Amino acid sequence: SVRGAGARSRLEGARGVLFPRRIMVRFALTIVRHGETRYNKDKILQGQGVDEPLSATGFRQADAAGIFLSNVKFTHVFSSDLLRAKQTASTIIGKNKFCKDIVIQYDARLRERKYGIAEGRPLSDLKAMAKAAGEQCPSFTPSGGETLDEVRARAKNFFEFLCQLSVEECQKEQAVLGMAGNGLETGKTGFPSNFRNQCCGLELNSDTDKDTKMLNPNILVVSHGAYMRNWFGYFVLDLKCTLPSALKKSQLSSVSPNTGVSHFIINLGNGDVIKPEISCICLNRDDHLADVNTENV
């Protein structure tokens, strides 16, 4: 796409950018799956071709996620351009104390995996197609659908765009504050500390770090289950993302629950967008849904 080509061009331009010594670009990334739709409840594949709105339960889930994240001061919000993700993102931001006027940016790179002829059909049909082809889900690709490699390429392209965005934000901070050669330490992300500590006991900022850390920007992304599973796989397998010690392998391969929240800290040492260091603070957490009535209404 034109947008993708532009992002790649900007990325190429950033590869040669080096920052003053001991400066580290550091940003926070919170990724949320959209709320439930009636197709989710009935285990029918939506993919990209079925653009269902949230169900009543889905809106309650989005409300709960919004309340949970209400104290997080996001600097950027991105969402898939499919309706269920757009409604979720809008609901979350509507509950936020700091970001009610922020502009949500819709991006086709965040869409769900395309399932071709299986879209609008029960998940059991996809499994039957895979069995007939001598394959297994999710690696099976139905006719007209996207391969896992194609989905991962979309996620990689979008993540590199976020890294480049963070480098540009850091450059702006330096230009405005006249920081040449000096460090700037920002506040914490606002991500709920009790939730962080439940995940792995990790504080996001530390005064003992040798390198000055810049936590800018603080990004929220709303996307889809199969897409997010592929994106997280790219983080872990390709970029060697560190994981909470309590995280089970089965959790890593599972699809996020509706409005499940995942949180990452990304370090770009000396502005290097090619070899980011990623720490997973929590993955697919749904504690905020404990009081949500999930019965279909």
Side-chain angles (χ1 to χ4, degrees), residues 223-296:
S223 188
H224 305 264
Y227 177 89
M228 289 166 56
R229 179 171 59 185
N230 277 266
W231 191 357
F232 299 160
Y234 163 65
F235 276 177
V236 174
L237 298 176
D238 293 20
L239 299 182
K240 311 304 179 185
C241 172
T242 60
L243 300 169
S245 58
L247 189 72
K248 300 177 182 177
K249 288 185 178 180
S250 60
Q251 291 175 276
L252 187 61
S253 60
S254 298
V255 172
S256 170
N258 290 110
T259 70
V261 176
S262 298
H263 189 63
F264 302 86
I265 299 297
I266 295 91
N267 294 314
L268 305 175
N270 233 25
D272 185 356
V273 301
I274 306 305
K275 296 180 180 179
E277 295 180 1
I278 306 176
S279 297
C280 176
I281 308 304
C282 56
L283 190 76
N284 298 338
R285 296 298 297 265
D286 61 355
D287 302 52
H288 55 287
L289 298 177
D291 297 326
V292 175
N293 179 6
T294 57
E295 292 183 4
N296 192 31

Side-chain angles (χ1 to χ4, degrees), residues 108-121:
R109 289 174 292 184
L110 294 170
R111 288 181 180 179
E112 179 59 292
R113 181 184 181 186
K114 185 178 181 181
Y115 285 99
I117 62 171
E119 291 181 350
R121 297 171 64 174

